[in-house]
């Protein structure tokens, strides 16, 4: 599957109604496989999802960090959090306590996480 085909399938499946039967097709599975197999497809997909949420990705090193930061605001079990207080990123230790491990580089692309 090429990128153009992937984008077409994204449009086809972006508003899929999972409550109706028959949504799981071979074409849908091929779409998911392509998203997993091609990192730039995956990053493009995440960007589209964040655009829908009006979440600005411009200040992030990559869409993957942006996506996890966005979902970290909603989900306390997320892998990474952004701390507004000192503009830093951290990995929470999910042991019931408040422990965090501060990180200096993006876990997904390796870029330095300069404080902005
Ligand atoms: Zn990154």
């Amino acid at each position: 599957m090429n990128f153009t085909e992937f984008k077409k399938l994204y449009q086809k499946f972006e508003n899929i109604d999972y409550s109706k039967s028959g949504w799981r097709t071979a074409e849908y599975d091929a779409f998911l496989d392509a998203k997993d197999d091609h990192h730039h497809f995956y990053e493009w997909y995440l960007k589209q999802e964040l655009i829908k949420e009006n979440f600005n990705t411009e200040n992030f090193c990559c869409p993957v960090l942006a996506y996890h930061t966005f979902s970290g605001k909603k989900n306390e079990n997320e892998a990474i959090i952004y701390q507004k207080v000192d503009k830093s990123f951290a990995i929470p230790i999910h042991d019931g306590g408040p422990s965090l491990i501060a990180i200096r580089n993006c876990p997904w692309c390796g870029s330095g996480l300069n404080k902005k």
Side-chain angles (χ1 to χ4, degrees):
M1 181 182 305
N2 66 37
F3 195 36
T4 304
E5 292 164 337
F6 179 79
K7 287 177 180 177
K8 277 184 188 163
L9 288 180
Y10 175 80
Q11 286 179 335
K12 183 174 181 176
F13 295 128
E14 71 175 326
N15 295 314
I16 198 164
D17 184 351
Y18 295 102
S19 68
K20 291 182 181 168
S21 63
W23 58 267
R24 186 78 189 253
T25 60
E27 190 178 44
Y28 183 74
D29 285 347
F31 168 74
L32 294 182
D33 287 347
K35 183 168 64 104
D36 291 341
D37 292 347
H38 302 279
H39 194 68
H40 74 280
F41 290 15
Y42 177 62
E43 289 193 338
W44 180 85
Y45 169 86
L46 293 179
K47 253 188 160 165
Q48 304 316 302
E49 295 299 299
L50 292 169
I51 288 167
K52 280 191 227 169
E53 300 284 348
N54 290 317
F55 188 79
N56 187 350
T57 62
E58 282 177 24
N59 291 329
F60 291 90
C61 51
C62 64
V64 187
L65 180 64
Y67 185 80
H68 284 281
T69 301
F70 171 74
S71 60
K73 289 180 172 184
K74 295 179 173 179
N75 175 7
E76 61 187 37
N77 292 321
E78 185 52 70
I80 194 161
I81 60 167
Y82 177 70
Q83 303 185 101
K84 256 187 175 165
V85 177
D86 64 354
K87 299 181 179 178
S88 66
F89 290 89
I91 297 172
I93 308 302
H94 296 292
D95 63 357
S99 302
L100 301 167
I101 298 173
I103 55 171
R104 292 187 188 146
N105 292 80
C106 175
W108 290 279
C109 75
S111 293
L113 298 171
N114 297 329
K115 293 180 180 182
K116 290 176 182 168

